[in-house]
Amino acid sequence: MKRARRPSPQTLPAPLGRALLNLAALAALGGAALPVAAQAIEYRSVGAAALLRAQPAAEAEALYRLRPGTPVEIVVREDGWLRVRDPEGGLAWVEGSALSARRMVIVTAERALVRRAPAESAAPAFEATHHVVLELLEPASQGWARVRHVEGFEGFVRASEVWGL
């Protein structure tokens, strides 16, 4: 009985052969050549109250204002302006100088129990309700982020209960 030969990339039609070779190369690199989607998301926070606009220009229509400390995700940079996504998912432009490098997160859960250690069994430190802004002290690790309330209380919050990580 004669066995059917499996086609090699060289014997396939050119576009399909190239696609298979590219896929094999990507697999060999362990995905290191993935495009922009694999890059880290960059978050910043509003310094003073910031006016968000429809276009990247001071004379553009003002859409809304974000309060100080509100975290935003940077989507695009253009001539000193940043297109940002706010915690509600809205997209708008803000002057880069209106943002701070200080990292903040905002509570998205109705009530987030902030604990003294990064464990469900740890004692509660304080509770934060929906829309409360907390300073991020340490990046999230194993599902917990270390945060500080404006009144000085510190603890660990579940990463799934905040936005801005």
Side-chain angles (χ1 to χ4, degrees):
M1 181 163 139
K2 190 174 180 181
R3 270 176 103 169
R5 276 185 38 167
R6 192 167 35 171
S8 70
Q10 293 81 12
T11 61
L12 292 171
L16 185 55
R18 278 194 299 278
L20 286 175
L21 285 173
N22 289 340
L23 186 58
L26 183 60
L29 290 172
L34 288 177
V36 176
Q39 294 179 359
I41 296 173
E42 181 182 357
Y43 290 96
R44 304 260 306 272
S45 300
V46 173
L51 193 57
L52 279 79
R53 300 187 176 275
Q55 301 295 322
E59 61 279 354
E61 174 191 3
L63 299 175
Y64 53 95
R65 186 177 304 273
L66 288 178
R67 64 186 174 156
T70 303
V72 293
E73 174 192 349
I74 297 174
V75 178
V76 175
R77 296 171 185 273
E78 186 178 304
D79 298 325
W81 287 84
L82 302 170
R83 177 127 183 173
V84 297
R85 182 180 333 275
D86 65 38
E88 302 297 321
L91 289 170
W93 292 91
V94 65
E95 286 187 85
S97 61
L99 299 183
S100 165
R102 188 174 175 200
R103 288 293 308 276
M104 308 295 273
V105 294
I106 191 165
V107 177
T108 55
E110 280 304 310
R111 295 161 50 124
L113 189 57
V114 181
R115 299 188 177 272
R116 295 184 190 271
E120 281 296 327
S121 59
F126 66 95
E127 185 176 89
T129 58
H130 192 65
H131 291 295
V132 168
V133 173
L134 303 168
E135 182 179 4
L136 180 65
L137 300 177
E138 292 175 14
S141 175
Q142 298 182 351
W144 295 89
R146 187 166 168 239
V147 295
R148 177 185 303 133
H149 188 274
V150 68
E151 294 178 1
F153 304 113
E154 291 184 19
F156 294 84
V157 66
R158 278 215 158 282
S160 61
E161 296 179 325
V162 294
W163 185 87
L165 293 174

